[in-house]
Amino acid sequence: MDFIISLKEIVKIYGKGESKVVALNKVSLDICKGDYISVMGPSGSGKSTLLNIIGCMDTPTTGQYILKGRDVSKLKRRDFSQIRNKDVSFVFQSFALLNNYSVYHNVELPLCHRRMSRSQKKEIIMHYLDKLGIANLANKRPTEISGGQQQRVAIARALASDADIILADEPTGSLDQKTGQEIMELLTNINSEGKTIVIVTHDKNVASYCRRNILIVDGRIVEDNISDNISKNCSESNVSL
Amino acid sequence: MYILRALVHSMSRKKVSLLLVWLQFSLIFFIAFSLVCSCINLFKNENEKRRYIKADFDKCCQMIINTVNTSKEICMDGADFLSEVKSMDEVSVLGNYFYYSTAFTSLRDNKAFVEAVEKAVDEEIRNLTKSGLRVDEGSYQDNKKDLIAQILSVDYELFDSLLPNTFLEGGMPDGSFSESDSFKPVILGYGYKDAFDIGDTFISDDEKFKCRVVGILDKGSKWFSENYGLSYDMVNIDNSIIVLTDRPDTYIGTTIEGTVLANNYLISKEPFDRELEAKIGEVAKKYGISVGIYTFNEFFANTRENFIEQYYLTLFSILFLSVIAVFGLSSLIVYGINISKREIGIRMACGAETKHIMGIFCSEIFIIIILAFFTSCIMANSERLINFLMISMKDINIWVYAAVLAISLVVCIVSCIFPIRRIAKLEPRELTGGQ
């Protein structure tokens, strides 16, 4: 099996008693390395919860989550931090940049806790800023640049960690159509370089960039359209509907 | 920057002011200075007593000590009074000690002796100046010319009882001590160690002190101060020549009105009771003297109790202040965390571990603590403020600084641990508001 992510019977319940909410209900999903996946669904369907669990930002109530062959459900908090630092990175709708820090320092965040020299860090940061065409903004603060540029900074930060998996939660949600397209093209390029990307979105146009589209309703996966060879060839893609 | 931002925030919201927070911690450390000073001094005094008071004063060591203030005339019969008291069946003499200053001009050729005397005089000038007294430099220069050295005359039995016998470089005093030798055995303070060898003899100008060296004291040796016999203050006797006598002179008479019977230690065979006190009182009356009678042991017992009480009170105060500081800092951190939840969440989403978040807050608190510490250092060293607050802060030495700094660090760590551990246990999702 060559799945980079494998979710088995994942259940996530918030609250207790009468206020109990089942966000994910026995979701099973396998994702191959290099997949480009969109997760769609109405509000409250459990898309973001799924993304949070994949990104180790949240833990499932029951079920098994295997990331790169490791059973994440058995890991400790400290290992979760390391996964978020090295294996998975995020791009948020509202960019999640630290407004008190410069663009450069925002991109540096995932590298802060790694043992590498300042010059090495600088090399990595400037490489990605350059790649995303925002090297000239390195010393500016997020509040001084446009939304599209801020999202590029967020993507640069995600790339700087050199994680194999990039999780994007409504990456174009706060952007105009044109800028949104630019960002999606950027993510498509990144995917073509071998990164696995999972995007949560409401927007069908955004989903159209992806090669695999998952529809989630009431915490269950109800549709999984695979239109590329990666998932098909990865192995026998096993998706529970 | 979290904490500083919290402070700035709080200032703008007028909840607390930066100045007040700063002042709070500066004051806490300032008080910590005085408490640590007292604590160390108390501990030191306690240790010194244990080290030097070797005599068995368990039941019956008594003391006639005080100034006879009520005497209208200078009493010339004090020696007789004391002699009569000493001759009582119930009383035996433990010993006396007195300080003299005597010239040794005949020792001008002894270079080491001259240097030691000059050094002693210079040191005395320095001490007097330091304690704020006016110093007649001219007369001290004369002291140097005349080679006036300080003599501490101590009854051998008293010396032997109060000091351990390990003080002599040359071992125990030899048997010649009790010989009817015209030379009195002397033990040299450490300052005179190069001037003579054991067995050497020398004589003072007035020929009152014909000395034969029997030993040399260790460096930093101390003896009771010359301010009345009961004083537990110890003074350095590195620059003194200690003359051991088996028949000590009685120090009677002063130039001021009244007579001083100082430094006469009497030991009674029975516990000092009212009957003996009355008996001594009668003798004193006969000679026109009124005396204060103190029980040596009781005095030290009371002092020790006071010390212990003071010691624990001081420790408790330090603990109490530290707890207040922990609460103050914790609330500051909680506020800092509350306005920085999103940032902490983003950092954790990027892989920061609990220890990293802890490190950020600890380092910021550390900066505040260190700044407050230095402010308190300035305050603690400000004489005017100390006088104003009437808090004694003598002897602020490296250990006091180290102790206060150690307390600061403990406060820093303890105040960070709980709020940060609590916040770090939350999921990043909760901190970023579901982003």
Side-chain angles (χ1 to χ4, degrees):
Chain A
M1 304 292 272
D2 199 17
F3 300 125
I4 194 166
I5 291 168
S6 183
L7 301 174
K8 288 173 186 167
E9 304 274 310
I10 293 291
V11 174
K12 180 66 186 179
I13 299 170
Y14 291 114
K16 286 177 183 174
E18 287 181 3
S19 59
K20 188 168 85 174
V21 175
V22 181
L24 291 176
N25 192 0
K26 295 188 176 178
V27 169
S28 295
L29 175 65
D30 294 319
I31 297 172
C32 297
K33 190 170 184 343
D35 256 352
Y36 192 18
I37 301 172
S38 72
V39 179
M40 294 186 71
S43 294
S45 57
K47 308 182 296 290
S48 295
T49 304
L50 179 65
L51 204 70
N52 285 333
I53 288 174
I54 292 173
C56 293
M57 296 266 272
D58 207 348
T59 48
T61 309
T62 60
Q64 192 182 35
Y65 171 24
I66 293 170
L67 175 71
K68 288 176 151 182
R70 282 194 298 174
D71 190 347
V72 173
S73 356
K74 290 178 181 171
L75 296 180
K76 293 175 182 172
R77 288 184 65 87
R78 193 181 162 202
D79 301 315
F80 275 35
S81 299
Q82 286 183 354
I83 287 172
R84 290 197 297 265
N85 189 234
K86 289 175 183 167
D87 298 323
V88 183
S89 53
F90 290 87
V91 176
F92 298 100
Q93 179 182 355
S94 58
F95 323 127
L97 299 175
L98 303 182
N99 293 331
N100 298 315
Y101 294 84
S102 67
V103 164
Y104 180 92
H105 285 115
N106 269 282
V107 178
E108 192 188 17
L109 277 181
L111 306 176
C112 278
H113 313 298
R114 292 192 191 172
R115 284 183 184 174
M116 55 170 68
S117 68
R118 196 172 279 189
S119 61
Q120 279 177 308
K121 283 182 188 173
K122 188 174 180 182
E123 197 180 324
I124 293 169
I125 294 162
M126 292 315 293
H127 168 72
Y128 286 111
L129 288 178
D130 196 37
K131 188 174 179 178
L132 295 172
I134 47 172
N136 58 327
L137 305 176
N139 294 322
K140 298 221 172 202
R141 296 202 172 200
T143 47
E144 296 168 343
I145 58 180
S146 70
Q149 287 168 330
Q150 286 188 48
Q151 196 58 295
R152 280 168 188 268
V153 174
I155 293 169
R157 184 177 65 190
L159 292 174
S161 68
D162 198 28
D164 291 329
I165 304 160
I166 294 174
L167 305 173
D169 193 354
E170 302 275 9
T172 60
S174 302
L175 304 173
D176 60 64
Q177 198 179 358
K178 191 187 164 202
T179 316
Q181 278 177 0
E182 285 174 14
I183 293 297
M184 285 314 297
E185 280 164 16
L186 199 59
L187 288 173
T188 306
N189 286 337
I190 291 165
N191 173 251
S192 66
E193 289 169 9
K195 302 276 183 193
T196 307
I197 298 180
V198 180
I199 298 174
V200 163
T201 183
H202 280 104
D203 191 339
K204 284 184 180 174
N205 290 329
V206 170
S208 68
Y209 283 87
C210 302
R211 294 190 295 270
R212 183 176 172 188
N213 304 111
I214 292 169
L215 180 64
I216 189 165
V217 177
D218 291 337
R220 286 175 178 273
I221 294 175
V222 294
E223 200 177 304
D224 189 353
N225 297 320
I226 304 169
S227 61
D228 73 313
N229 291 327
I230 293 177
S231 293
K232 284 175 183 170
N233 297 338
C234 171
S235 68
E236 289 181 19
S237 184
N238 183 14
V239 180
S240 299
L241 298 178
Chain B
M1 298 306 286
Y2 293 118
I3 308 296
L4 290 177
R5 261 177 51 213
L7 286 171
V8 173
H9 247 258
S10 60
M11 274 180 77
S12 62
R13 291 180 188 188
K14 294 183 180 174
K15 281 183 181 170
V16 287
S17 94
L18 175 64
L19 187 69
L20 278 177
V21 173
W22 192 283
L23 202 64
Q24 180 195 346
F25 291 115
S26 300
L27 275 173
I28 285 173
F29 290 133
F30 172 61
I31 296 166
F33 259 103
S34 82
L35 292 174
V36 171
C37 273
S38 318
C39 217
I40 287 176
N41 286 339
L42 285 175
F43 185 72
K44 213 166 69 181
N45 284 340
E46 193 71 15
N47 269 356
E48 279 180 354
K49 274 203 307 256
R50 284 198 193 107
R51 190 174 155 199
Y52 289 103
I53 308 297
K54 290 282 183 186
D56 181 15
F57 292 111
D58 277 351
K59 286 180 182 173
C60 54
C61 181
Q62 315 294 339
M63 187 178 223
I64 298 176
I65 175 190
N66 229 327
T67 311
V68 187
N69 291 318
T70 51
S71 304
K72 296 292 179 195
E73 295 170 8
I74 293 174
C75 175
M76 300 307 293
D77 300 324
D80 293 336
F81 157 73
L82 209 56
S83 169
E84 194 167 327
V85 170
K86 285 173 184 174
S87 67
M88 291 177 186
D89 288 342
E90 300 91 334
V91 171
S92 63
V93 179
L94 176 62
N96 296 351
Y97 71 86
F98 305 106
Y99 287 90
Y100 298 87
S101 286
T102 306
F104 289 91
T105 48
S106 59
L107 296 175
R108 206 175 294 283
D109 295 336
N110 187 331
K111 212 172 172 184
F113 183 84
V114 174
E115 279 176 11
V117 169
E118 286 179 349
K119 196 177 162 195
V121 172
D122 289 338
E123 199 159 299
E124 195 175 351
I125 293 171
R126 262 203 309 279
N127 289 338
L128 288 170
T129 311
K130 200 174 164 186
S131 58
L133 294 172
R134 204 172 54 186
V135 179
D136 181 2
E137 291 261 3
S139 66
Y140 280 98
Q141 293 309 323
D142 290 342
N143 284 357
K144 278 186 186 177
K145 272 185 214 163
D146 297 338
L147 291 179
I148 292 178
Q150 189 183 53
I151 301 288
L152 169 59
S153 173
V154 185
D155 179 88
Y156 171 69
E157 279 181 55
L158 179 65
F159 197 85
D160 190 37
S161 304
L162 298 182
L163 280 183
N165 289 325
T166 51
F167 60 88
L168 295 177
E169 273 188 2
M172 286 285 290
D174 54 24
S176 60
F177 193 80
S178 55
E179 287 172 12
S180 54
D181 193 334
S182 57
F183 284 91
K184 292 174 181 172
V186 297
I187 297 169
L188 299 178
Y190 186 77
Y192 297 100
K193 67 181 184 345
D194 298 327
F196 303 104
D197 285 326
I198 290 170
D200 286 352
T201 55
F202 57 97
I203 303 170
S204 66
D205 288 359
D206 59 6
E207 295 194 350
K208 192 174 179 183
F209 294 100
K210 295 171 116 182
C211 308
R212 182 170 51 80
V213 181
V214 296
I216 298 165
L217 282 177
D218 286 340
K219 191 176 182 182
S221 294
K222 291 182 176 181
W223 189 255
F224 301 104
S225 74
E226 57 186 316
N227 301 321
Y228 309 116
L230 199 58
S231 170
Y232 55 86
D233 287 338
M234 308 297 271
V235 293
N236 190 295
I237 50 171
D238 279 352
N239 298 318
S240 297
I241 295 168
I242 297 93
V243 177
L244 298 172
T245 55
D246 48 0
R247 285 197 175 274
D249 297 326
T250 298
Y251 179 48
I252 296 291
T254 63
T255 51
I256 57 165
E257 187 178 303
T259 300
V260 174
L261 294 176
N263 309 329
N264 288 279
Y265 295 83
L266 306 176
I267 190 163
S268 70
K269 290 169 185 167
E270 299 297 328
F272 213 67
D273 56 16
R274 286 193 172 277
E275 202 178 322
L276 181 58
E277 193 178 328
K279 207 170 169 183
I280 292 173
E282 283 298 314
V283 181
K285 203 174 172 185
K286 189 171 119 189
Y287 289 94
I289 299 169
S290 64
V291 292
I293 300 172
Y294 296 90
T295 304
F296 202 84
N297 233 26
E298 276 175 11
F299 177 84
F300 277 106
N302 288 338
T303 315
R304 187 176 291 113
E305 265 174 30
N306 289 340
F307 273 138
I308 289 167
E309 199 177 310
Q310 225 177 320
Y311 185 75
Y312 284 113
L313 191 67
T314 310
L315 283 182
F316 175 78
S317 306
I318 290 172
L319 195 69
F320 182 71
L321 278 173
S322 300
V323 169
I324 289 178
V326 166
F327 273 111
L329 281 176
S330 279
S331 52
L332 193 64
I333 291 171
V334 167
Y335 190 56
I337 285 171
N338 276 337
I339 64 165
S340 313
K341 271 188 175 178
R342 182 176 169 274
E343 286 189 23
I344 296 170
I346 291 170
R347 281 183 182 275
M348 288 174 77
C350 288
E353 293 173 28
T354 306
K355 65 179 180 189
H356 298 132
I357 304 292
M358 182 90 94
I360 293 169
F361 277 92
C362 277
S363 56
E364 289 185 13
I365 283 289
F366 181 73
I367 293 168
I368 290 183
I369 291 283
I370 289 296
L371 288 174
F373 170 71
F374 281 116
T375 313
S376 68
C377 287
I378 295 165
M379 288 165 78
N381 286 292
S382 162
E383 204 176 325
R384 280 179 64 192
L385 254 176
I386 293 165
N387 289 339
F388 176 69
L389 293 170
M390 296 177 72
I391 294 173
S392 166
M393 282 213 200
K394 291 173 189 169
D395 302 332
I396 297 179
N397 55 33
I398 186 73
W399 297 110
V400 178
Y401 285 108
V404 175
L405 183 60
I407 292 169
S408 314
L409 293 177
V410 171
V411 165
C412 164
I413 292 164
V414 173
S415 57
C416 283
I417 286 174
F418 296 105
I420 294 171
R421 278 181 70 88
R422 199 171 151 220
I423 197 77
K425 276 182 182 169
L426 295 174
E427 300 292 346
R429 179 185 52 74
E430 295 172 79
L431 291 165
T432 52
Q435 278 185 4

